[in-house]
Amino acid sequence: MTRVTVDVRLLATPKAVPELRRLLRHHTYDVLLCASELLTNVIDHLGEGTPVTVRVHDTGTGRVRVEVTDPAPRALPVLCSASDGCESGRGLALVDGVAARWGVEQGPDHKTVWCEVCRVRAP
């Protein structure tokens, strides 16, 4: 099955999250989860209305790469553990849990937070 490649520019808003999921409906749940969480991190940490580019593509190695690029090169994501009573703070932990690997690429005027998930989850 051919995987859909997505390359879309949008404003990071709560309304954009389900719209992104709709665009990615042909991908696995892990891709949907990672894309949603990375976009939500931009909303939570940089603010609503931040311009982002979301890219999703097959790497050719059995993985799908999800990338979210935003204009804040110094606002780096931090993997932390949220306590039981916290209502937020689990997004990057979820990405870390389902992704084969993830990271950040910094440019002079942007950063890209990316992750790679297996096309099919192992049993």
Side-chain angles (χ1 to χ4, degrees), residues 5-69:
T5 299
V6 173
D7 188 345
V8 63
R9 293 177 190 203
L10 52 90
L11 297 179
T13 63
K15 183 178 113 179
V17 177
E19 291 173 4
L20 179 61
R21 281 192 216 114
R22 186 183 51 76
L23 283 172
L24 299 175
R25 68 187 173 275
H26 300 292
H27 287 278
T28 65
Y29 176 78
D30 290 351
V31 170
L32 295 172
L33 174 71
C34 289
S36 297
E37 291 301 333
L38 293 179
L39 180 57
T40 299
N41 277 350
V42 174
I43 297 166
D44 291 347
H45 299 289
L46 298 181
E48 283 189 40
T50 301
V52 297
T53 301
V54 178
R55 289 180 201 85
V56 178
H57 59 90
D58 195 318
T59 66
T61 64
R63 294 181 180 167
V64 175
R65 185 172 172 116
V66 177
E67 303 174 346
V68 176
T69 302

Side-chain angles (χ1 to χ4, degrees), residues 81-105:
S81 58
S83 65
D84 290 342
C86 291
E87 292 184 17
S88 63
R90 293 177 179 81
L92 200 52
L94 287 170
V95 171
D96 186 61
V98 300
R101 62 189 197 129
W102 68 274
V104 180
E105 296 172 358

